[in-house]
């Protein structure tokens, strides 16, 4: 299983990928098995991603999860079955210690990246802390977020770019944010699929522009991102969360092959 020190040690980028939410028991295992096959062949360090609960929803009737403990047990099963680290997001300080019992990386959602108590609670677990840059925040502001972790005695920080708000219902990626955040000395990830969301739609369901996934991913590799983040699903049209901007699982292998060739050419 890869460690924090492994994330920037190899020649390739590392990968965070999985479904948006843990929506059942079989889908996460199916996704993990397929992605492990691909990443093992391509020499890509792999971290399985899955949210045990979705707290940031557009509508009150949106899917939030199958139950915290049930979903966390599924994440642990993925971890043990495929010997890969697992990342999940937390939303309140009380969740940090609970989730840390099951996963290797605690993720701070973009809208919560300024929540000092939440970041500190994650840091004190001793787990790796992945902080997503807020859609409202500059790259330079993320240095302060990272220092909230290190001030707790935890040096294991990842910073993730996921686009900035552009108007009321779109996002735009400023690729200068990646080298700017890398200058902090922490690994930087490009969250490809979330950066292609179209939030605040009239329907109350977030839209997306998945046709641009490869474009954003290639640009991130070209400017030196240490890692890439994708949400993927065997059938995004039936995914219970974020299906509009997901990468179909059957397209993953070809994309990772092309991205690996690009990385090796740099």
């Amino acid at each position: 299983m890869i460690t924090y020190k492994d994330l920037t040690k190899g020649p390739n980028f590392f990968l965070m990928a999985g479904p948006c939410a843990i929506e059942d028991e079989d889908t996460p295992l199916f996704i993990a098995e397929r992605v492990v096959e691909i990443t093992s062949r391509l020499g890509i360090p792999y971290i399985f991603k899955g949210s045990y609960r979705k707290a940031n929803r557009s509508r009150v009737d949106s899917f939030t999860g199958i139950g915290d403990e049930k979903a966390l047990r599924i994440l642990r099963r993925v971890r043990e079955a495929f010997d890969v680290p697992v990342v999940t997001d937390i939303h309140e300080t009380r969740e940090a210690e609970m989730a840390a019992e099951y996963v290797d990386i605690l993720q701070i959602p973009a809208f919560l990246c300024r929540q000092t108590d939440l970041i500190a609670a994650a840091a004190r677990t001793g787990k790796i802390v992945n902080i997503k840059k807020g859609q409202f925040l500059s790259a330079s502001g993320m240095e302060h977020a990272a220092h909230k972790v290190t001030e707790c005695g935890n040096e294991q920080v990842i910073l993730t770019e996921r686009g900035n708000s552009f108007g009321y219902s779109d996002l735009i990626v400023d690729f200068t944010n990646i080298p700017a955040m890398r200058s902090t000395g922490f690994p930087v990830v490009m969250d490809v699929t979330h950066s292609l969301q179209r939030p605040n739609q009239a329907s109350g369901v977030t839209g997306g522009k998945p046709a641009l996934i490869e474009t954003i991913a290639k640009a991130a590799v070209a400017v030196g991102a240490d890692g890439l983040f994708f949400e993927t699903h065997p059938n995004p049209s039936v995914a219970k969360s974020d299906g509009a901007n997901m990468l179909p699982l059957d397209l993953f292998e070809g994309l990772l092959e092309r991205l690996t060739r690009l990385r090796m050419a740099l």
Side-chain angles (χ1 to χ4, degrees):
M1 185 179 294
I2 65 171
T3 67
Y4 180 75
K5 290 182 178 180
D6 295 327
L7 297 181
T8 58
K9 190 166 61 176
N12 215 342
F13 52 83
F14 66 91
L15 176 71
M16 292 182 175
C20 177
I22 301 300
E23 55 190 46
D24 57 36
E25 188 163 358
D26 294 334
T27 304
L29 292 163
F30 181 81
I31 293 171
E33 181 176 26
R34 182 68 184 118
V35 179
V36 165
E37 290 173 357
I38 298 167
T39 54
S40 296
R41 180 173 63 82
L42 295 176
I44 300 172
Y46 175 47
I47 299 162
F48 179 85
K49 181 270 168 184
S51 297
Y52 72 89
R53 175 159 45 86
K54 300 302 295 183
N56 177 19
R57 302 285 80 195
S58 297
R59 296 181 357 184
V60 70
D61 59 349
S62 297
F63 174 80
T64 58
I66 59 175
D68 292 356
E69 190 171 345
K70 182 177 181 180
L72 286 166
R73 285 199 302 266
I74 292 170
L75 287 170
R76 182 165 61 190
R77 186 177 172 194
V78 169
R79 183 182 190 273
E80 293 172 349
F82 300 102
D83 193 33
V84 294
V86 171
V87 57
T88 199
D89 38 342
I90 59 172
H91 314 89
E92 300 179 38
T93 55
R94 62 178 177 82
E95 297 175 30
E97 196 169 325
M98 174 184 69
E101 294 292 321
Y102 297 87
V103 304
D104 306 276
I105 303 173
L106 296 176
Q107 181 168 283
I108 307 300
F111 281 129
L112 301 178
C113 70
R114 288 174 56 90
Q115 297 298 104
T116 300
D117 288 348
L118 179 63
I119 293 174
R124 286 193 293 266
T125 67
K127 299 291 183 176
I128 301 170
V129 182
N130 178 33
I131 311 174
K132 287 195 172 184
K133 183 180 72 61
Q135 299 91 323
F136 48 84
L137 200 64
S138 68
S140 60
M142 290 302 288
E143 182 175 8
H144 305 298
H147 287 164
K148 293 176 182 180
V149 179
T150 59
E151 285 297 310
C152 292
N154 186 343
E155 300 292 328
Q156 300 180 108
V157 183
I158 301 171
L159 301 177
T160 294
E161 165 65 33
R162 54 97 72 235
N164 282 85
S165 294
F166 185 72
Y168 291 112
S169 57
D170 210 347
L171 296 168
I172 190 166
V173 178
D174 177 357
F175 284 99
T176 67
N177 285 341
I178 292 175
M181 288 194 289
R182 289 191 81 230
S183 70
T184 64
F186 300 110
V188 174
V189 171
M190 179 70 229
D191 182 343
V192 177
T193 49
H194 281 111
S195 71
L196 291 169
Q197 286 181 326
R198 300 202 71 217
N200 303 319
Q201 300 299 298
S203 65
V205 178
T206 297
K209 297 178 284 187
L212 292 174
I213 286 174
E214 184 160 347
T215 300
I216 296 295
K218 284 180 174 178
V221 171
V223 298
D226 299 290
L228 298 175
F229 181 116
F230 298 90
E231 288 187 335
T232 185
H233 195 281
N235 186 358
S237 67
V238 301
K240 294 183 179 180
S241 179
D242 281 3
N245 52 276
M246 279 184 174
L247 176 68
L249 185 60
D250 62 358
L251 299 181
F252 216 26
E253 183 171 19
L255 176 60
L256 289 180
E257 287 175 343
R258 293 188 291 277
L259 293 174
T260 294
R261 288 198 295 270
L262 175 60
R263 175 64 174 246
M264 298 308 170
L266 295 174

